[in-house]
Amino acid sequence: LATFISTASAPLDAAFAAGVDGIVGADYQRATELDDGRVLWVFEDVFIETPDGDLEFVHNAGALQTGGCFEALVGGTDERPQAWVGSETSHELVHWYWPLDGYQLVADTFVLHLAEMVERGDRYLDNATPTATWQVSIDLTSMTVGPITPAPDPTAALYGFEIVDDGDVRYFYGQCHRQFGFGEIGHDECAATVLLARQPIYEPQAPLEYWDGDGWTRNSRRAENVAPLVTPGDEQFRFANPMQVAYAAGRWIAVTKVNDWFGGTLHFDVAEQPQGPWTTTSVRPVAPPGDPAVVTSYFASFVPSDEEGWTLAVSSNRWDGAYSDAYRPRFETVDL
């Protein structure tokens, strides 16, 4: 399925290396192409360079891409930026919102899902715990953000970690995103599993149905994992499965940076149905941008691009979390 092109996706890579309208560090990049050709990006934990050259930290931000131009989407002022979404009910490093995926509801409205986060440890990311899933509507004309309201499934299962539709049905993939302070290396056992719910695309108020392994049910407690759990060949267990899924040519294609920052491979899986079963068609190494003892890579996602093929973005950062130019997504193009 995947034949890899050796060259990186240069225009996006150069843009993010230079900083996109003041955003000089971010991760968990998600990008959605809008009906008018613009691209809406959202990010977690963002560093913003102010006009005075200072660095400010916010828990979420967006960027609106028009061609090769980016406009940062943040709250507050240029000198004192705040999170784009939820700053009025947030307490930095203690209680905040991380953006998940979203979708364009109608021509002028985008719906973004959010993970409500609470730090239950002694310092930031000691025990960052998702507590609920919310959503906001974004006016695509003014880019203003509406009030935070409960998501169709408001639980900490985080249905909306990835959202894909086939033209008739919208599918909400759930991944618990419990990464810090839940086990010996940080991840909770739930990080291995991906759950799936669905809703008619033109009925956004309809109750969700959940995949229970055999069929669809409205009982969320019966939801079963849909993600592959082992690596083909060596049968190594996937203890973290932050799958990102696309629908194309009648098939479902997933890219996963398996085992997050501890893994060294990107996996491509394909399925005939959104719930699988999945066939792993390609596994390739992915290296961090520097000394592996200092920096690591994690979270791969598909992003829109003008290049032929599919453009991937992979997050990277220092192990110790200290700000550096390593903290940004890197891009390359694959031919699917």
Side-chain angles (χ1 to χ4, degrees), residues 256-311:
T256 310
K257 174 61 167 59
V258 168
N259 296 344
D260 258 351
W261 46 87
F262 294 104
T265 53
L266 288 177
H267 291 228
F268 292 86
D269 303 289
V270 65
E272 300 293 335
Q273 302 293 332
Q275 69 272 13
W278 300 88
T279 299
T280 301
T281 56
S282 182
V283 178
R284 64 152 294 184
V286 58
D291 182 353
V294 179
V295 296
T296 187
S297 61
Y298 53 100
F299 190 70
S301 60
F302 295 115
V303 300
S305 172
D306 290 337
E307 295 178 290
E308 290 187 19
W310 293 53
T311 297

Side-chain angles (χ1 to χ4, degrees), residues 218-259:
R218 289 190 179 173
N219 185 349
S220 62
R221 291 174 294 180
R222 293 176 57 189
E224 292 286 343
N225 173 56
V226 301
L229 292 178
V230 294
T231 300
D234 60 12
E235 301 302 305
Q236 184 179 20
F237 180 65
R238 297 188 185 187
F239 62 79
N241 252 327
M243 287 175 62
Q244 295 293 282
V245 182
Y247 178 73
R251 291 189 175 187
W252 303 82
I253 302 169
V255 60
T256 310
K257 174 61 167 59
V258 168
N259 296 344

Side-chain angles (χ1 to χ4, degrees), residues 11-331:
L12 283 174
D13 219 45
F16 277 79
V20 291
D21 195 24
I23 294 176
V24 293
D27 65 2
Y28 282 90
Q29 66 291 324
R30 291 177 170 90
T32 304
E33 186 169 10
L34 305 175
D35 291 347
D36 61 9
R38 296 179 298 169
V39 178
L40 178 60
W41 297 75
V42 293
F43 312 98
E44 295 181 9
D45 284 2
V46 180
F47 286 94
I48 299 170
E49 185 174 22
T50 70
D52 295 332
D54 297 327
L55 281 184
E56 296 287 342
F57 173 84
V58 298
H59 283 292
N60 64 70
L64 187 63
Q65 180 187 354
T66 305
C69 298
F70 291 83
E71 177 188 355
L73 302 170
V74 295
T77 64
D78 289 346
E79 292 74 21
R80 295 297 302 272
Q82 296 178 334
W84 187 35
V85 181
S87 62
E88 64 279 1
T89 57
S90 298
H91 181 185
E92 187 174 303
L93 309 184
V94 176
H95 172 250
W96 68 95
Y97 298 92
W98 274 340
L100 302 175
D101 205 2
Y103 59 91
Q104 187 169 356
L105 178 64
V106 292
D108 62 355
T109 303
F110 187 87
V111 178
L112 176 66
H113 280 54
L114 307 162
E116 181 180 9
M117 304 295 299
V118 173
E119 179 53 66
R120 291 177 172 162
D122 294 331
R123 61 180 183 174
Y124 187 53
L125 302 186
D126 267 0
N127 186 216
T129 305
T131 60
T133 309
W134 300 86
Q135 65 181 25
V136 293
S137 292
I138 299 167
D139 185 314
L140 293 175
T141 301
S142 64
M143 302 310 297
T144 55
V145 178
I148 294 175
T149 60
D153 184 309
T155 69
L158 303 189
Y159 288 96
F161 190 81
E162 173 71 330
I163 303 173
V164 192
D165 73 73
D166 62 6
D168 296 309
V169 179
R170 183 168 289 119
Y171 295 92
F172 301 82
Y173 291 85
Q175 210 269 359
C176 69
H177 214 27
R178 291 163 66 94
Q179 311 165 82
F180 305 103
F182 295 99
E184 185 176 347
I185 60 173
H187 291 80
D188 192 294
E189 291 182 359
C190 66
T193 62
V194 177
L195 306 178
L196 180 61
R198 71 177 186 180
Q199 182 185 65
I201 194 170
Y202 298 112
E203 298 180 42
Q205 305 304 319
L208 294 183
E209 294 181 324
Y210 302 84
W211 181 254
D212 67 4
D214 294 311
W216 297 95
T217 175
R218 289 190 179 173
N219 185 349
S220 62
R221 291 174 294 180
R222 293 176 57 189
E224 292 286 343
N225 173 56
V226 301
L229 292 178
V230 294
T231 300
D234 60 12
E235 301 302 305
Q236 184 179 20
F237 180 65
R238 297 188 185 187
F239 62 79
N241 252 327
M243 287 175 62
Q244 295 293 282
V245 182
Y247 178 73
R251 291 189 175 187
W252 303 82
I253 302 169
V255 60
T256 310
K257 174 61 167 59
V258 168
N259 296 344
D260 258 351
W261 46 87
F262 294 104
T265 53
L266 288 177
H267 291 228
F268 292 86
D269 303 289
V270 65
E272 300 293 335
Q273 302 293 332
Q275 69 272 13
W278 300 88
T279 299
T280 301
T281 56
S282 182
V283 178
R284 64 152 294 184
V286 58
D291 182 353
V294 179
V295 296
T296 187
S297 61
Y298 53 100
F299 190 70
S301 60
F302 295 115
V303 300
S305 172
D306 290 337
E307 295 178 290
E308 290 187 19
W310 293 53
T311 297
L312 300 179
V314 180
S315 294
S316 61
N317 199 0
R318 291 175 56 97
W319 283 103
D320 60 11
Y323 174 75
S324 73
D325 59 7
Y327 186 50
R328 67 173 179 88
R330 264 79 178 169
F331 301 87

